[in-house]
């Protein structure tokens, strides 16, 4: 799958799944616009993409901020005049149960996981509509479909809403040849899982039918596939990458 001459935007790209998604597109020839809130990690990612021979522009800021959406829009306008793929990956979770969840916690999670995807999509869609093609991929979660005691209620609610937003945009934009899908990871090995003790890790792995945690590359490769021509008849779907922890 070649993405030469393709422009890809990835939010929340400085670590974990988002970083791997950005690097995977770079390895396949894409030019990148990457967003994150940590300047050092963003600079490190830019260097890594350039080592792959790719072009990369950084946008430092909160993906749920209109200012960040405007910065992305300005780079597209001034450098490329088009965008082919948007990956809405920016996200956060809290570990607090319902009775300990504050209003600020609730609103922060909803804003980061859902509002950011709406704002960034809204900023890039005019370019896709004008060019009569484009792909949006929202990084959701298996928790959108089944509760998890290790996630705040706002997390699952925001991801379930993100799956609906995926369907709505897919339906609304199909006439412009724009496809929209979501990827729903299950237990994936990231910097967050490094905080688990051995007992909890074993418990999680035993709950996965494939008896292993996923790798960030598993999510990145699914994202790459959904962005490619091989997936040209797939839209409005939420694809689970979870080792069998949720089956339908």
């Amino acid at each position: 799958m070649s993405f030469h001459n393709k422009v890809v935007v990835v939010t929340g790209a400085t670590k974990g799944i988002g970083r791997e998604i950005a690097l995977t597109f770079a390895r396949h020839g894409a030019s990148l616009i990457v967003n994150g809130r940590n300047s050092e990690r963003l600079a490190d990612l830019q260097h890594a993409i350039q080592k792959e021979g790719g072009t990369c522009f950084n946008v430092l800021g909160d993906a749920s901020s209109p200012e960040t959406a405007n910065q992305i829009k300005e780079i597209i306008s001034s450098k490329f005049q088009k965008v082919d793929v948007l990956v809405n990956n920016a996200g956060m979770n809290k570990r607090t149960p319902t009775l300990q969840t504050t209003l600020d916690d609730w609103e922060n999670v909803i804003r980061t996981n859902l509002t950011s995807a709406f704002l960034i999509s809204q900023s890039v869609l005019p370019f896709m509509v004008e060019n009569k093609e484009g792909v949006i991929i929202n990084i959701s979660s298996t928790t959108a479909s089944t509760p998890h005691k290790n996630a705040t209620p706002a997390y699952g609610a925001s991801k379930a809403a993100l799956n609906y937003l995926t369907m709505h945009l897919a339906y609304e934009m199909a006439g412009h040849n724009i496809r929209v899908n979501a990827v729903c990871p299950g237990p994936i090995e990231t910097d967050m899982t490094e905080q688990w003790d051995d007992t909890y890790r074993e418990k999680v792995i035993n709950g996965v039918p494939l008896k292993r945690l996923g790798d960030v590359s598993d999510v990145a490769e699914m994202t790459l596939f959904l962005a490619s021509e091989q997936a040209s008849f797939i839209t409005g779907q939420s694809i689970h990458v979870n080792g069998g922890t949720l089956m339908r």
Side-chain angles (χ1 to χ4, degrees):
M1 288 179 280
S2 174
F3 284 83
H4 287 281
N5 300 317
K6 300 290 186 180
V7 180
V8 179
V9 176
V10 184
T11 67
T14 55
K15 61 181 180 178
I17 290 172
R19 178 183 171 87
E20 184 64 22
I21 288 172
L23 288 171
T24 298
F25 276 105
R27 293 181 193 116
H28 286 79
S31 297
L32 274 296
I33 302 171
V34 294
N35 154 257
R37 294 188 291 186
N38 184 299
S39 59
E40 291 183 4
R41 288 175 178 167
L42 206 55
D44 180 70
L45 174 59
Q46 184 181 48
H47 179 67
I49 289 171
Q50 290 170 341
K51 282 184 66 176
E52 297 287 347
T55 299
C56 180
F57 293 89
N58 291 352
V59 177
L60 179 66
D62 187 334
S64 67
S65 164
E67 289 77 15
T68 299
N70 286 335
Q71 286 184 59
I72 291 172
K73 187 174 182 178
E74 288 172 7
I75 291 174
I76 295 169
S77 295
S78 63
K79 303 297 182 182
F80 301 107
Q81 296 80 51
K82 71 162 189 170
V83 58
D84 299 283
V85 181
L86 165 63
V87 182
N88 286 310
N89 175 73
M92 68 176 296
N93 188 15
K94 295 284 186 180
R95 307 298 178 185
T96 50
T98 299
L99 295 181
Q100 280 74 53
T101 297
T102 66
L103 180 59
D104 282 346
D105 286 344
W106 172 273
E107 291 179 340
N108 285 339
V109 172
I110 296 293
R111 187 172 62 250
T112 302
N113 296 353
L114 179 62
T115 305
S116 65
F118 170 74
L119 285 176
I120 304 298
S121 296
Q122 197 176 50
S123 73
V124 308
L125 275 168
F127 297 98
M128 294 182 174
V129 170
E130 183 177 353
N131 291 325
K132 297 182 174 58
E133 65 177 352
V135 179
I136 296 176
I137 301 165
N138 297 319
I139 305 303
S140 183
S141 171
T142 299
T143 310
S145 302
T146 184
H148 196 293
K149 67 179 182 180
N150 203 30
T152 184
Y155 182 76
S158 66
K159 294 299 189 179
L162 184 60
N163 287 358
Y164 171 78
L165 180 63
T166 298
M167 292 188 292
H168 186 100
L169 291 178
Y171 182 77
E172 188 176 344
M173 294 295 158
H176 300 288
N177 193 33
I178 297 168
R179 297 187 295 105
V180 188
N181 291 291
V183 177
C184 301
I188 304 295
E189 190 83 69
T190 66
D191 58 306
M192 293 175 64
T193 61
E194 294 174 1
Q195 303 169 20
W196 296 352
D197 60 32
D198 291 341
T199 300
Y200 185 75
R201 175 179 291 275
E202 184 178 358
K203 181 179 179 180
V204 173
I205 292 174
N206 286 337
V208 180
L210 288 180
K211 299 303 178 191
R212 69 173 178 88
L213 298 178
D215 188 80
V216 289
S217 64
D218 294 317
V219 182
E221 292 295 335
M222 176 56 72
T223 304
L224 190 80
F225 166 71
L226 289 173
S228 73
E229 286 300 313
Q230 284 89 329
S232 64
F233 202 54
I234 302 174
T235 194
Q237 306 303 311
S238 296
I239 310 295
H240 287 267
V241 180
N242 61 30
T245 54
L246 179 69
M247 299 186 184
R248 289 181 168 175

